Amino acid sequence: MFWRIVSFLACQLGGGLAGWLAASSTGAATTELEGLALGLVLGGMAWFLFDMSRGARLLNWLRAGDVSEVALSAGLWGEVSARVRRLVLGRDRLLRESQNRLQDFLLAFQASPNGVMLLNAQGGIEWFNQTAATHFGLDPQRDMLQHIGNLVREPSFVRYFAIQDYQEELVMPGRESTPARPVRLSVHLYPYGQGRLLLLSRDITALEQAEAMRRDFVANVSHEIRTPLTVLGGFVETLQTCSFTEPERERYLALMAQQAERMQTLVSDLLTLSRLEGSPPPGISNWIPIPDLMRQLEADGRALSAALNPATGRLHALVFDGPIEGEIAGVENELFSAMSNLVGNAIRYTPSGGAIAVRWDFLPDGRVVFSVSDTGPGIAPEHIPRLTERFYRVDHSRSRDTGGTGLGLAIVKHVAQRHGAELSIQSTLGKGSVFSITFPASRFRTAPDRILPLPG
Ligand code: ADP
């Protein structure tokens, strides 16, 4: 401001002096005063025009909106331009920072495994992430600002949205739900701000399936345990109320023992399954000699065959074969339980006199296969994919009569998976079945005497 007054006075002084000197050269006293006045006016006008031109430059600079350079460097207008520039640059920085923050928030919402949608007070869609787009079949380009009611037409959602009671979540079918592949969504609306709504959606299909499986499992276990318990209870009551001869009593007690054993086997299989699910997968440090496994399988197999055919004495033709020299890595009791389940099934489901072959084979890529083939009744193709489900049985009476729990193949599948192996089932109705477990090459090694010791 000081320099502004100084420059104005300097212009006046210069103009006045020039007017005075120009008039004094003519010699008349009145003309000198007029010259002074005229000089002052002209000096003032010159300052005013110069000042206006600087103001106009500043105005043009502001209109152009390019604050990358300073319009004027000195004077009042210079200071105004510098302050305006600083203010604008500060606002720009703040704006950039809040835009970056908003972008971060949106990226976080985008990364969310749940669907997120923001609705304005009128129910228009302001933003949604990719998961919400998949859940409701929305298109980010086409559907922004559209009313949610026009895009999500599922009746239960329309009702939920209209009633405006958002205390509870809504469970509704997803956009891609079909009777064969149902998709279930949990949707919850949360009011915020001035009538706005936050919509969160979650795919709960797997959760609902797991819950249904858990319910089925509990129902199945209860059913499996109730049957022998009812039989046992009946025998106890009969023994308490009636008098029997010694042979009759012996027979009843034997039948009771059979039911108790059935429950014991069931509980033991259930415990095996829960142990398999709860423990970490076995490493490749414990090596089990295959000949040992085969010897034990053969002994148990022959004993079972004899126990199942006590009257006829006609046993199964059992063959244990293959290049069995070598070791397999894993948990011995798990592997033995899986293999003996397959051998046991073959014996239990194949009528006496049938042939059963248990063998090991190498595949060209180094994998090894343990297989059990039988000449039993075979299994119809529609049952095969379901055989490893818990309590799934094709032949209910044969399974129960021979002490089956319906959990054997579920155990085999679990053990195989834990060892990185695969259970496969081939069967022809009326001809027989082949159950095989294919182990990865890394789980097999030749007998230790052929392995060179590690140096040092
Ligand atoms: P279970 O204890 O009833 O044998 P599994 O899980 O071991 O239960 O087997 C499931 C069902 O698969 C059996 O109930 C039976 O119907 C069928 N199955 C298993 N192995 C054979 C086989 N070798 N031949 C024919 N059917 C079989």
Side-chain angles (χ1 to χ4, degrees):
M1 204 59 175
F2 173 74
W3 289 111
R4 192 173 169 79
I5 294 167
V6 168
S7 69
F8 178 73
L9 290 177
C11 279
Q12 293 259 289
L13 199 67
L17 204 62
W20 175 275
L21 288 176
S24 67
S25 61
T26 60
T30 50
T31 323
E32 281 172 349
L33 277 177
E34 279 172 8
L36 176 67
L38 190 65
L40 284 174
V41 169
L42 286 175
M45 276 177 68
W47 181 88
F48 180 69
L49 285 175
F50 176 68
D51 195 57
M52 282 286 284
S53 77
R54 284 171 58 85
R57 266 178 67 194
L58 178 66
L59 195 63
N60 282 340
W61 176 74
L62 284 174
R63 278 191 187 132
D66 177 12
V67 289
S68 55
E69 282 176 20
V70 194
L72 300 160
S73 55
L76 179 79
W77 296 126
E79 191 179 334
V80 169
S81 77
R83 284 183 185 276
V84 167
R85 183 166 178 269
R86 213 173 308 146
L87 211 67
V88 172
L89 288 178
R91 290 273 151 85
D92 274 0
R93 205 189 54 244
L94 274 179
L95 192 69
R96 254 197 322 277
E97 278 173 10
S98 39
Q99 267 175 347
N100 285 346
R101 221 168 303 142
L102 177 68
Q103 211 52 37
D104 280 351
F105 277 127
L106 293 183
L107 283 175
F109 284 146
Q110 199 61 269
S112 159
N114 295 338
V116 181
M117 198 188 292
L118 304 179
L119 304 175
N120 62 24
Q122 289 72 43
I125 300 175
E126 293 208 317
W127 188 87
F128 53 84
N129 67 357
Q130 188 50 47
T131 314
T134 315
H135 285 170
F136 299 104
L138 302 178
D139 181 326
Q141 257 83 50
R142 191 193 56 204
D143 297 333
M144 283 299 175
L145 293 178
Q146 297 281 328
H147 193 275
I148 181 95
N150 295 336
L151 299 170
V152 184
R153 290 172 172 276
E154 162 59 30
S156 55
F157 179 81
V158 173
R159 228 176 5 259
Y160 178 64
F161 189 68
I163 289 172
Q164 298 193 351
D165 176 10
Y166 307 132
Q167 303 279 327
E168 304 280 322
E169 62 176 13
L170 165 77
V171 175
M172 59 178 259
R175 170 84 173 190
E176 286 161 1
S177 188
T178 58
R181 275 196 68 240
V183 177
R184 306 282 292 160
L185 293 181
S186 151
V187 177
H188 207 156
L189 281 164
Y190 298 92
Y192 75 99
Q194 306 263 302
R196 292 165 168 272
L197 289 170
L198 166 71
L199 182 152
L200 296 181
S201 58
R202 213 157 37 102
D203 188 335
I204 52 164
T205 316
L207 210 71
E208 285 209 338
Q209 276 169 355
E211 180 55 22
M213 271 169 69
R214 191 193 62 78
R215 271 197 309 269
D216 284 355
F217 181 68
V218 172
N220 277 326
V221 171
S222 315
H223 175 78
E224 294 289 332
I225 288 183
R226 203 177 47 206
T227 314
L229 262 183
T230 313
V231 179
L232 258 180
F235 281 136
V236 170
E237 210 178 297
T238 317
L239 284 173
Q240 278 170 336
T241 50
C242 311
S243 53
F244 296 103
T245 61
E246 194 52 30
E248 276 174 336
R249 229 173 68 85
E250 295 276 305
R251 202 164 64 81
Y252 280 134
L253 285 174
L255 286 170
M256 286 169 73
Q258 199 183 18
Q259 295 303 323
E261 194 184 318
R262 194 172 142 193
M263 279 196 292
Q264 239 164 11
T265 320
L266 178 70
V267 171
S268 139
D269 275 2
L270 283 171
L271 285 175
T272 305
L273 262 179
S274 87
R275 247 197 320 271
L276 289 174
E277 280 172 346
S279 53
I284 309 196
S285 50
N286 186 40
W287 292 90
I288 308 138
I290 291 175
D292 290 359
L293 279 175
M294 288 295 263
R295 257 192 301 280
Q296 189 62 42
L297 286 175
E298 185 167 356
D300 288 3
R302 291 196 190 284
L304 179 65
S305 176
L308 287 177
N309 307 294
T312 60
R314 242 185 110 217
L315 305 185
H316 296 93
L318 289 167
V319 178
F320 288 77
D321 200 5
I324 56 173
E325 286 303 326
E327 295 182 329
I328 198 92
V331 182
E332 184 166 0
N333 60 2
E334 285 184 21
L335 289 173
F336 180 74
S337 145
M339 291 167 187
S340 72
N341 254 306
L342 295 185
V343 177
N345 278 354
I347 295 170
R348 284 164 49 228
Y349 292 103
T350 305
S352 58
I356 289 151
V358 182
R359 25 178 317 116
W360 287 84
D361 288 291
F362 291 110
L363 294 182
D365 60 6
R367 288 180 295 161
V368 280
V369 186
F370 169 82
S371 66
V372 181
S373 49
D374 63 56
T375 55
I379 303 156
E382 66 269 22
H383 293 296
I384 292 181
R386 301 200 57 191
L387 288 184
T388 52
E389 286 176 22
R390 291 158 191 209
F391 300 112
Y392 189 85
R393 295 174 171 107
V394 182
D395 185 343
H396 282 258
S397 58
R398 179 102 187 123
S399 164
R400 291 220 169 84
D401 291 350
T402 55
T405 57
L407 295 173
L409 290 179
I411 293 175
V412 177
K413 187 180 165 192
H414 257 82
V415 171
Q417 275 175 349
R418 283 165 52 72
H419 286 78
E422 205 184 318
L423 169 70
S424 56
I425 306 166
Q426 274 112 39
S427 190
T428 314
L429 210 52
K431 289 212 165 136
S433 317
V434 184
F435 287 76
S436 31
I437 306 177
T438 307
F439 290 91
S442 57
R443 285 207 173 261
F444 177 82
R445 73 177 185 190
T446 45
D449 55 358
R450 282 194 240 151
I451 295 171
L452 294 174
L454 285 172

